[in-house]
Structures are given as C-alpha cells and as structure tokens.
Amino acid sequence: MTTPEAREEAVLEAVRKRREQVNEAIPEELPIQRPERLYEASRYLLDAGGKRLRPTVLLATGEALVDAEPLSEDYRAFPTIDGERTETRSADSSSGPPRDTIDLMDAAVSVEVIQSFTLIHDDIMDDDDLRRGVPAVHKEYDLGTAILAGDTLYSKAFEIMLETGADPARTVDALGILATTCTKICEGQSLDITFENRTDVTPEEYLEMVEQKTAVLYAASACLPAILLGADDETIDALYGYGLDIGRAFQIQDDVLDLTVPSEKLGKQRGSDLVENKQTLITVHARDQGVDIEGLVDTTDVDAVTEAEIDDAVARLEEAGSISYANDKARDLVDQGKARLEVLPDNEARELLCQLADYLIERGY
Amino acid sequence: MTTPEAREEAVLEAVRKRREQVNEAIPEELPIQRPERLYEASRYLLDAGGKRLRPTVLLATGEALVDAEPLSEDYRAFPTIDGERTETRSADSSSGPPRDTIDLMDAAVSVEVIQSFTLIHDDIMDDDDLRRGVPAVHKEYDLGTAILAGDTLYSKAFEIMLETGADPARTVDALGILATTCTKICEGQSLDITFENRTDVTPEEYLEMVEQKTAVLYAASACLPAILLGADDETIDALYGYGLDIGRAFQIQDDVLDLTVPSEKLGKQRGSDLVENKQTLITVHARDQGVDIEGLVDTTDVDAVTEAEIDDAVARLEEAGSISYANDKARDLVDQGKARLEVLPDNEARELLCQLADYLIERGY
C-alpha cells in the first residue's frame, strides 16, 4: 500500500522530470528572434514557470500507447504504434517525407504554447494584474504587445505542431484537433464572460463552459499522441474523453483553490473569482442553496478586498455544502476519466496517467 | 487599345463577381452560432464590407493555373492541375480520403478571415475608432469581445483551410503557409509599432515591415491555389513573389491614399497615419529630404486635426517629392510582380492578375 503522500510525491517527480525536458524544448522551438521585444513578451509567461501539466499528460499518454517504460524513450524520436520503429525508411505510401519516429515533444510544446497564449489574452480580458507571481504580460509590457504576443504564440503553436514528422494525414488530423480546440477555448471564454452578468447559471451550463474553456486542451493533449502515433479511433476517442474529464475536474479544483490557498502561494489574490463575480461550480451551487452570492464580498476590486472578508465568504460557502459539492463532482469526473484508460495497455505509464488524474484534484495549489 | 478607365472598369467587374461569391461563402463557413455575441462580433467587420482583394487574387490565380476561362469553374469543386479531374477516385497514394476536386472557396474565405482577424486586433493596438465606415469592433462591442472575436477568426481560418479536400500532403503545406504568414504578420505589426517611436527608419526597413505586415497575406493568397492544385515548386515560388510585390505596392498606395482621399470616402480620418506618427514610405523619404515630419501636424489626436492642417502637410510632402517617390516605388513593384506571372499559361485569368496588380496602385480608394 502506498500512502497518499507517497503517491503525490511520485506524481510530482514524474511531472518534474518531464517538465525539465519541456522547459529545455521551449526555447528551442520558440527562440528569441527579431523583433526581440515581441518574442520576449511571447516567452515571458512561459519562462515564468508553470507545472506543464498538459505536456506531461501528452508525453505520458505517448509512453502508455507504445507500452514504453516511463522516461525510457527520446520524446524527440518517439516510436509509432504501428511498427514503423525500424532504422529503414518508412514504407508508408503518403507523399510526405518518410519518418521512422515522431517528435512528440513538438506536440507537447505546441499545447503549452496554446495554453500560454490563452493566459495572456484572458488576463487582458479579466484585467488581472498577476499571473504565476509575476505581472501579467499586458502589465509588464503593454496592451498592444500582449495582444500581439498571444497572436504570435497562436501561429507558432501551429508551426510547431507541423514539425512532428508524422505522416501528412495524421498531421492534418492533429492540426484539426488543435484548431477546433482553440475555437472551443474562445467559445468557453466568451461564455465565462457572459456568465459574470448572470445570476441564473446552472451547474450544467457551468460544466459546459468549463469543458470548452479548459477541458478541451487536456482532451487534445491526451489524444494527440494517439493521432500522431497511429492509434485506432476507439483509443483516440477514449483518450479525448479522459482529457475532458480530468480537465473539468482540474478547473473545479482550481476554483476551490482560488478560495482556499493563501494569495502568496496562489500567485494572485485569493478569492479573486468571488470579487470579480466569476461563476464557479461552488457559487452556482451555493446560489441554489439560497446563498446571496453577490452579497458575499462588498467590493469588485481585488486590491480592496480584505482577507477577513474572504474568510467569511468561504465559511458561508462551506456551510452551504458548496465546497464539498465541488470536491465530490471533481472526484466523480476523475474516476470516470481513469476508467476510460482501460483502452490502453496495462503498464506503468497508464498508472501514471491515473495518478496524474488523482493529483489534479488532490494538489494543494 | 483599351483606355485606363475601361481597364479599371473591367477589373472592378471581375472583383465584384468574385466578391459576390465570397460574400455568399462567408456566412456558410462562419455561421452565427452559440455564443451568438462572439460570432456576431467575429462577423461584424466581414459583414461591413471590404473589396475581397485577397480572395480575388486567390481565385483568379486558381483559374490561371488550370487554364480556365474566368468564372467558368465552380470554386467549390475546382479541378486540380495534374489531371485528377475525373469522376473516379483519385489514384494518389496518400492516406487521406481521395477527392477529384478542390474547394478553392474555402481557401479564399480562410485568407479573408485571417485579414479580418488582423484588422480587429490592429484597431485595438492603434486605438482606431473607425473601420470601413463603421465603429471598430472594440468600439461597437468591447475590448474583451474584440480580442476574442479575433482569436476565434484565427482558429476558424485554420479549420476552414482544412476543408478544401486537397491531398493531406498539400493540405499540410497550405497550413504551413498559413501559419508562417500569421507569424510574419505579427512580426510586421510589431515592427510597425516600434517604428512609431523612431525617427531613423530607412526605406529598406519600412519595406521589410510592409512585406511582413501586409504583403505576405497577398503572397499566401497567390501561392495557395498552386499548392492546393498541385503546381510545381517554381510556379509556387513565382506566385509567392508576385503576391509579395503587389502586396507591398498595395500598402504603399494605401499610405498615399491615407493622405489624398477625403475622410468620408476613406471611412476614417484622412491623414490619420501622420497624426499617429505612423511611418510610411512617404514620411521616411521626406525625412531624408530634410522635412520635419513630427512638426507637420501639431496634434496626435485624430479627432482634433483639421482638414487645413492635413492639406498643408500634404503640400509639404509633395514639394519634397515624397508622394511621387512612393508612387514610383509602387509602380516598380507592380511591374516586377507582373513579370513573375510568365510562369503561368498565357490566358485570360493571367491577364486579369496583371490588371489586378495595376488596379492596386491605380485605385482611387
């Protein structure tokens, strides 16, 4: 029997080892070039940190699919599923240049670059000042540079995804997933903004918004290796579902952490979602229980709110059972997502994907 | 002998007929769907008008490549160059679904959608209030919605380009062009912004900026049909060069028109480039001639400038020979671009591409 602490430690170690490789790959794929200020702004948040959870899901899924020992493969030259792992040129008949291996790290960097683009633009829309403990890009630079930095990351993500060396048909499918994922993220962000002015959002509507805004990028991360390495449709669909489930659970946990983690550790003001009238599963549930959500915090200015006000608000939400409700929902989603992994070979990397799912809702920040 | 007026009339008619088809295709490819406000904002500028010059270049290049009578082909089911125009399934060996024809209209809409995305974000960065005679998207809606509308168009352009039915290897090449084009547009816009704070920009630097900001999308428009329809590399490169040349000429003419066309006709304040300290080939040249560009207009507020001030400024630029210089440069680029078209079969559509090039610098607005 492993203890929860030992399990978390193992996951963090697995994430850390992949993060190191992703962190090395980012400046290779996205070098600072002319115009320097634009590329520095584009790299600013990527260089400021981040757990690289989405790339980790992507890389671990690749390992599980080819039944590899975790971290035993070179992500830059990853074997395909369908036995093209020879030193000879591929016998595949497509018109692209034949390749024996796939650069899965390109795909991993691509999804992280998309994630970073959405953070830069979201911070402008939400007028958030801090991100990952540093100023948001539009604060560190300026509005125009931040918009443009996001736009640059957007097209760079597509350029990088084009470089995996996969068969053109698989590359087309991968780019299709990337493009529809970006569209859904925009739709989700748009719903999120309109929800701020509504007091009748249902849990179903909230979960739909979260699916689009957050979960689809986890879903893309989980299914992209299956597409690029040549898995069958059943596997691709199951992995997409796993990503959607754990992505929704991740966002619900994020909403819980926004209320419960000290500002210092969070890298931004605790309770900022409440102050800014962001809908979360917690507030949607609490309103159903008769809690006056709009009255919980007096100000709409994150700089003016006091810790005591946030403490009182959290106590009210706890009384209403809303935080437990969110925790339970996240747990259900994670269990559902883990069950979908049965489509994969039973191996250590699959076990890691299960642990990662647990970690997303057990993490302290 | 045709008169210049007759030639312009013929070009306008050719543009108009293709524009009508493009205008029909836009709502098909980009329907208003949930969340409605997001898609309405995304469509706002596209629906407000525009000459559709880039889609016209794209569609006419397709016609020239397959040696078709202008407007005789269905753009939604366009024949390929390499004889795949049969009713049988393609014998091409790639792994994508075989198709006999290409939906060239998808490619045309895709480049127009990219163009619209850049206008929305540029208007925010430049804080321009008007575009095509209507409020800019961030004025009609709000900042967040405008950023998000641009982002949505961005990914939609990729989704639409994925639908042409071309062979996967050609689709991959087309998406590669689209992605690098978007990156260059961002780089060009970034240079343009930094130029506003510099007084030592050379004509070469200006032309490099214009190439990235504006001309690459014309270059993509001209070479995309060659890629999708299966032309050889020499043809693809020549058409890319044609697009770069006429795109640069187009931007230089745009800069001239900003000074010479009445605000009403222009759809925004005449001389706004001067007021906002935008570098143009005209100002770069005039500064070289000793003109005090910063002193030409006193205000930096487009709403405060008078017509008389603009008139005086234009007179000074004319005296310095800067407007003639810009006109000559645009003419040289157009002639160079037209010469590149010799790679195409000698047909009516090629002639139209020549006339289009002339039109870009002869147009009155």
Side-chain angles (χ1 to χ4, degrees):
Chain A
M1 280 296 280
T2 52
T3 63
E5 290 74 22
R7 273 194 294 141
E8 178 164 350
E9 193 46 51
V11 173
L12 286 178
E13 181 67 7
V15 172
R16 189 185 61 73
K17 284 186 171 156
R18 287 165 187 78
R19 177 168 63 232
E20 280 172 8
Q21 295 196 39
V22 172
N23 286 351
E24 249 176 63
I26 287 170
E28 288 167 21
E29 299 302 327
L30 205 65
I32 306 291
Q33 61 193 59
R34 193 160 172 274
E36 280 77 11
R37 188 177 155 85
L38 175 63
Y39 281 94
E40 282 162 11
S42 301
R43 280 269 297 281
Y44 184 72
L45 269 192
L46 283 165
D47 291 351
K51 291 201 245 352
R52 317 298 187 208
L53 292 174
R54 294 158 195 82
T56 297
V57 166
L58 190 151
L59 297 170
T61 308
E63 290 162 351
L65 281 164
V66 303
D67 209 5
E69 188 89 0
L71 295 162
S72 65
E73 298 291 342
D74 175 5
Y75 296 121
R76 289 290 194 189
F78 209 83
T80 56
I81 294 170
D82 43 2
E84 288 191 56
R85 196 189 175 184
T86 59
E87 289 310 302
T88 60
R89 305 281 280 179
S90 158
D92 188 273
S93 57
S94 84
S95 42
R99 270 276 274 278
D100 307 310
T101 57
I102 302 301
D103 189 339
L104 218 50
M105 185 56 82
D106 277 337
V109 170
S110 179
V111 298
E112 187 69 8
V113 165
I114 289 290
Q115 165 67 5
S116 193
F117 135 66
T118 65
L119 294 180
I120 294 174
H121 282 192
D122 283 5
D123 283 344
I124 301 172
M125 294 177 222
D126 299 341
D127 201 19
D128 281 335
D129 294 354
L130 282 178
R131 170 72 70 174
R132 290 177 178 167
V134 298
V137 176
H138 66 287
K139 295 291 175 185
E140 179 69 18
Y141 293 83
D142 54 74
L143 175 66
T145 303
I147 292 174
L148 213 45
D151 292 346
T152 304
L153 291 175
Y154 213 144
S155 51
K156 278 287 170 188
F158 282 88
E159 288 189 53
I160 295 166
M161 189 64 83
L162 279 160
E163 296 299 318
T164 65
D167 172 75
R170 292 176 189 171
T171 299
V172 165
D173 288 346
L175 289 172
I177 287 283
L178 201 63
T180 55
T181 297
C182 290
T183 301
K184 283 182 186 154
I185 291 171
C186 292
E187 291 173 356
Q189 171 70 0
S190 174
L191 285 180
D192 196 15
I193 292 173
T194 59
F195 283 2
E196 285 171 40
N197 301 316
R198 283 181 51 194
T199 55
D200 59 350
V201 177
T202 65
E204 289 69 33
E205 283 182 303
Y206 172 78
L207 285 170
E208 183 203 6
M209 180 276 283
V210 162
E211 176 175 322
Q212 296 188 323
K213 184 178 168 174
T214 304
V216 287
L217 196 54
Y218 277 95
S221 301
C223 83
L224 276 164
I227 291 170
L228 293 168
L229 302 177
D232 57 33
D233 287 349
E234 188 200 345
T235 306
I236 294 170
D237 291 348
L239 288 169
Y240 193 85
Y242 161 80
L244 276 190
D245 289 335
I246 68 166
R248 283 181 291 180
F250 170 83
Q251 185 61 53
I252 293 169
Q253 177 69 4
D254 237 33
D255 295 341
V256 171
L257 294 177
D258 184 73
L259 295 171
T260 56
V261 174
S263 305
E264 240 179 59
K265 207 170 168 188
L266 210 54
K268 57 174 186 174
Q269 173 60 51
R270 180 171 69 105
S272 62
D273 289 346
L274 274 186
V275 177
E276 291 165 353
N277 286 326
K278 284 261 168 204
Q279 303 284 339
T280 67
L281 192 58
I282 302 151
T283 60
V284 166
H285 176 272
R287 189 179 287 114
D288 252 12
Q289 306 299 308
V291 176
D292 172 21
I293 294 297
E294 284 66 37
L296 276 180
V297 177
D298 270 343
T299 178
T300 57
D301 177 2
V302 282
D303 296 326
V305 75
T306 65
E307 289 294 315
E309 277 180 292
I310 301 289
D311 285 339
D312 287 349
V314 171
R316 292 292 315 280
L317 294 169
E318 268 171 355
E319 274 166 35
S322 303
I323 294 182
S324 310
Y325 171 79
N327 283 332
D328 291 347
K329 185 74 199 170
R331 166 52 64 197
D332 288 349
L333 284 166
V334 160
D335 288 342
Q336 181 175 300
K338 282 157 68 177
R340 295 188 202 271
L341 295 179
E342 278 173 26
V343 75
L344 292 173
D346 181 6
N347 54 33
E348 209 183 319
R350 185 179 86 174
E351 182 53 30
L352 172 59
L353 289 171
C354 287
Q355 291 168 350
L356 264 167
D358 287 329
Y359 167 72
L360 290 184
I361 56 169
E362 287 166 6
R363 69 202 160 103
Y365 71 106
Chain B
M1 281 293 282
T2 52
T3 61
E5 290 74 20
R7 274 194 294 139
E8 179 163 350
E9 193 46 51
V11 173
L12 288 178
E13 181 67 6
V15 172
R16 190 184 59 73
K17 285 187 170 155
R18 285 164 189 79
R19 178 169 61 233
E20 279 173 7
Q21 295 195 39
V22 172
N23 286 351
E24 248 176 61
I26 287 170
E28 287 168 22
E29 299 301 328
L30 205 65
I32 306 289
Q33 60 192 60
R34 189 158 174 272
E36 281 77 12
R37 187 176 156 85
L38 174 63
Y39 280 94
E40 282 162 10
S42 301
R43 280 269 298 281
Y44 183 71
L45 271 192
L46 283 164
D47 291 349
K51 292 201 249 341
R52 318 296 188 209
L53 291 174
R54 294 159 195 82
T56 298
V57 166
L58 190 150
L59 296 171
T61 307
E63 290 162 352
L65 280 164
V66 303
D67 209 7
E69 188 88 2
L71 295 163
S72 65
E73 298 291 344
D74 175 4
Y75 296 121
R76 290 289 194 189
F78 210 82
T80 56
I81 293 171
D82 44 1
E84 287 193 56
R85 198 188 174 185
T86 59
E87 290 308 304
T88 60
R89 303 283 279 178
S90 157
D92 186 274
S93 57
S94 83
S95 41
R99 268 277 271 278
D100 305 310
T101 57
I102 302 301
D103 189 339
L104 218 50
M105 186 57 82
D106 277 336
V109 170
S110 178
V111 298
E112 187 68 8
V113 166
I114 288 290
Q115 165 66 5
S116 192
F117 135 66
T118 65
L119 295 180
I120 294 174
H121 282 191
D122 283 4
D123 284 345
I124 301 172
M125 294 177 222
D126 299 340
D127 201 19
D128 282 335
D129 294 354
L130 282 179
R131 170 71 70 174
R132 291 176 177 168
V134 298
V137 176
H138 65 288
K139 295 290 174 185
E140 179 69 18
Y141 293 83
D142 55 73
L143 175 66
T145 303
I147 293 174
L148 213 46
D151 292 345
T152 304
L153 291 174
Y154 213 145
S155 52
K156 278 287 170 188
F158 282 88
E159 287 189 53
I160 295 166
M161 189 64 82
L162 279 159
E163 296 299 318
T164 65
D167 172 75
R170 292 177 188 170
T171 299
V172 165
D173 288 346
L175 290 172
I177 287 284
L178 201 64
T180 55
T181 297
C182 291
T183 301
K184 282 181 186 154
I185 291 171
C186 293
E187 291 174 355
Q189 171 71 359
S190 174
L191 285 179
D192 196 15
I193 291 172
T194 60
F195 284 1
E196 284 171 43
N197 300 316
R198 282 181 51 193
T199 55
D200 60 350
V201 177
T202 64
E204 289 69 33
E205 284 181 304
Y206 172 79
L207 286 170
E208 183 203 5
M209 180 276 283
V210 161
E211 176 175 320
Q212 296 188 323
K213 183 177 168 175
T214 304
V216 289
L217 195 54
Y218 276 96
S221 301
C223 83
L224 276 164
I227 291 169
L228 293 167
L229 303 176
D232 57 33
D233 287 349
E234 189 200 344
T235 306
I236 294 170
D237 291 347
L239 288 168
Y240 192 85
Y242 161 81
L244 276 191
D245 289 335
I246 68 166
R248 283 182 292 180
F250 169 84
Q251 185 61 53
I252 294 169
Q253 177 70 2
D254 236 35
D255 295 341
V256 171
L257 294 176
D258 183 74
L259 295 171
T260 56
V261 174
S263 305
E264 240 180 61
K265 207 169 168 190
L266 209 55
K268 57 174 185 174
Q269 174 61 51
R270 179 171 70 106
S272 62
D273 288 346
L274 274 185
V275 177
E276 292 166 353
N277 286 325
K278 283 261 169 205
Q279 304 285 337
T280 68
L281 193 58
I282 302 152
T283 60
V284 166
H285 176 272
R287 188 179 286 117
D288 253 11
Q289 305 300 307
V291 176
D292 172 20
I293 294 296
E294 283 65 38
L296 278 179
V297 177
D298 269 346
T299 177
T300 56
D301 177 2
V302 284
D303 296 326
V305 76
T306 65
E307 289 295 315
E309 278 180 292
I310 301 289
D311 285 338
D312 287 349
V314 171
R316 291 294 314 281
L317 296 169
E318 269 170 354
E319 273 165 36
S322 304
I323 293 180
S324 311
Y325 171 79
N327 283 332
D328 291 347
K329 185 74 200 171
R331 166 51 63 196
D332 288 348
L333 284 167
V334 160
D335 289 342
Q336 181 175 299
K338 282 156 69 177
R340 294 188 202 272
L341 294 179
E342 278 173 27
V343 74
L344 292 173
D346 181 7
N347 55 31
E348 209 183 317
R350 186 179 84 173
E351 182 54 29
L352 172 59
L353 290 171
C354 287
Q355 291 167 350
L356 264 167
D358 288 329
Y359 167 73
L360 290 184
I361 57 169
E362 287 166 4
R363 70 203 159 101
Y365 73 105

